[in-house]
Amino acid sequence: MADRTRHIKKKQLRDISHKIRRVQLRMHNRKAKCYIPELLVELNSLFKQRESIRNGNVMRTPHIPRPQKICSVCNYRIDKGYHICKPKPSRPLQS
């Protein structure tokens, strides 16, 4: 069975890859030479995050069922599509 969180993992990997690339570019900047140890720490943490996402250690969001819609006129449950109110059956008049 396919992974239900595959699209979420792909987005997270893409975002982390962009962050890694930005940090690597900052390390090549001539003015950032004094910040190399801090940038290495940041880069290592990003690599760890990427590996944990790749290995599938992502917290899965619990499935929350959506609340059912109730028609305000006839008090019936509204399913997919449009809703036509059904008249309530009337009782015959007793004399």
Side-chain angles (χ1 to χ4, degrees):
M1 186 170 140
D3 188 12
R4 289 173 41 196
T5 59
R6 183 172 175 259
H7 63 285
I8 297 171
K9 287 171 70 172
K10 284 176 69 173
K11 286 180 184 178
Q12 288 175 340
L13 283 173
R14 180 196 63 203
D15 293 342
I16 287 185
S17 295
H18 286 303
K19 288 178 184 176
I20 288 172
R21 184 68 186 143
R22 278 197 309 240
V23 171
Q24 287 173 338
L25 288 174
R26 270 193 291 166
M27 288 176 72
H28 291 298
N29 188 356
R30 200 179 313 158
K31 293 178 182 176
K33 294 294 182 191
C34 58
Y35 301 112
I36 293 273
E38 297 160 15
L39 292 174
L40 279 174
V41 169
E42 186 177 349
L43 195 62
N44 287 336
S45 70
L46 288 172
F47 281 136
K48 284 182 183 176
Q49 286 178 10
R50 185 174 70 179
E51 289 305 313
S52 68
I53 290 172
R54 279 188 181 164
N55 293 335
N57 299 334
V58 180
M59 293 293 293
R60 295 183 185 212
T61 56
H63 176 69
I64 301 171
R66 61 181 191 157
Q68 293 184 349
K69 295 180 184 175
I70 305 291
C71 179
S72 59
V73 176
C74 63
N75 287 332
Y76 282 111
R77 185 171 51 103
I78 300 175
D79 288 327
K80 292 181 181 177
Y82 62 92
H83 171 73
I84 298 174
C85 291
K86 300 174 180 75
K88 293 182 179 179
S90 59
R91 292 186 282 176
L93 293 174
Q94 296 177 353
S95 347

